């Protein structure tokens, strides 16, 4: 696992990952980024800020329709508006709006609590834990599944928790490593190991692990 990471790190360099000026901005970004690029997220956050309803309390008080309209660039805006509201409601009503209290919980407790909030799936929960709480919970995504399936490590049927468990079993529990490893995977999936992979440019090609690569270009 570390050999793969080190090859990616040598190729892409250290990734400066997950922008966000505040803990709430990181949490909101984790919700808004599902299935869209970060550019769309930036536009959605910018719209919310310009309208003066970006912070936690403002989201809690704003009507879902108004939030949905402002975050339209993030796609799936109606459901994402409901998710933002659900998280804001949870933090406002259970912690009087103090994000630091929920984020200071032990990792297993925080993860369970986040997963119990309406609309929050494991990828969003782990992103919040890793980037906002700064605790070592490995984030996996569609790129992870595709790449590690092609590498012969995951089957096509593998589920989210099986993938996360695999990384966490074989890697030291280190938040900096998890942060950068996920960013390396995203860089590889976005730029090289695409639907039609560019294996001739891939830093993992030398490993000769990939058999089912979707048809090399
Ligand atoms: S060698 Fe090809 S299939 Fe394997 S990870 Fe790299 S780009 Fe993907």
């Amino acid at each position: 696992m570390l050999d793969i990471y080190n090859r990616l790190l040598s190729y892409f360099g250290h990734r400066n990952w997950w922008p966000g000026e505040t803990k709430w901005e990181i949490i909101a970004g984790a919700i808004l980024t599902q299935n869209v690029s970060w550019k769309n997220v930036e536009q959605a956050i910018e719209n919310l800020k310009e309208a003066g309803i970006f912070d936690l309390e403002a989201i809690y008080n704003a009507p879902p329709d108004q939030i949905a309209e402002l975050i339209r660039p993030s796609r799936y805006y109606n459901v994402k508006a409901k998710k933002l509201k659900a998280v804001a409601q949870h933090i406002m009503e259970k912690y009087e709006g103090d994000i630091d209290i929920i984020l200071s919980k032990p990792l297993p407790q925080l993860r369970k609590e986040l997963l119990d909030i309406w609309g929050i799936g494991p990828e969003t929960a782990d992103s919040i834990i890793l980037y906002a709480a700064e605790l070592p919970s490995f984030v996996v995504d569609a790129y992870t599944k595709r790449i590690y399936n092609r590498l012969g490590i995951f089957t096509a049927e593998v589920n989210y928790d099986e993938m996360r468990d695999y990384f966490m079993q074989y890697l030291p529990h280190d938040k900096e490593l998890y942060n950068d490893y996920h960013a390396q995977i995203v860089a590889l999936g976005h730029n090289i190991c695409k639907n039609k992979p560019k294996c001739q440019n891939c830093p993992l090609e030398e490993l000769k692990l990939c058999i089912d690569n979707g048809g090399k270009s």
Side-chain angles (χ1 to χ4, degrees), residues 146-147 150-151 188 192-194 197-206 209-214 216:
R146 180 166 73 203
I147 293 165
R150 286 172 172 170
L151 287 166
L188 184 68
I192 296 176
C193 195
K194 304 175 173 202
K198 298 176 180 173
C199 299
Q200 73 275 20
N201 299 333
C202 181
L204 306 183
E205 168 71 359
E206 279 180 3
L209 289 173
C210 296
I211 301 166
D212 179 13
N213 57 21
K216 288 182 180 180

Side-chain angles (χ1 to χ4, degrees), residues 137-195:
S137 196
F138 202 92
V139 177
V140 297
D141 63 0
Y143 289 140
T144 319
K145 185 172 181 177
R146 180 166 73 203
I147 293 165
Y148 284 78
N149 175 247
R150 286 172 172 170
L151 287 166
I153 294 171
F154 294 154
T155 66
E157 293 77 33
V158 70
N159 66 33
Y160 184 98
D161 281 338
E162 287 167 344
M163 290 190 283
R164 175 178 177 269
D165 289 350
Y166 182 84
F167 283 97
M168 294 190 64
Q169 181 181 349
Y170 290 109
L171 293 172
H173 290 192
D174 177 339
K175 65 182 180 187
E176 304 291 343
L177 173 65
Y178 286 10
N179 184 320
D180 198 53
Y181 203 144
H182 177 64
Q184 300 293 342
I185 289 170
V186 171
L188 184 68
H190 184 72
N191 298 300
I192 296 176
C193 195
K194 304 175 173 202
N195 283 336

Side-chain angles (χ1 to χ4, degrees), residues 19 25 28-29 32-33 36-51 54 67-75 77 84:
E25 188 161 337
L32 293 171
T33 198
V36 290
S37 72
W38 191 259
K39 258 187 160 180
N40 299 64
V41 176
E42 284 177 333
Q43 185 59 59
I45 289 177
E46 197 54 43
N47 290 350
L48 289 168
K49 285 181 174 175
E50 278 178 13
F54 180 63
I67 298 170
E69 195 52 41
L70 290 165
I71 65 168
R72 194 176 267 266
S74 72
R75 299 171 64 193
Y77 42 89
L84 280 176

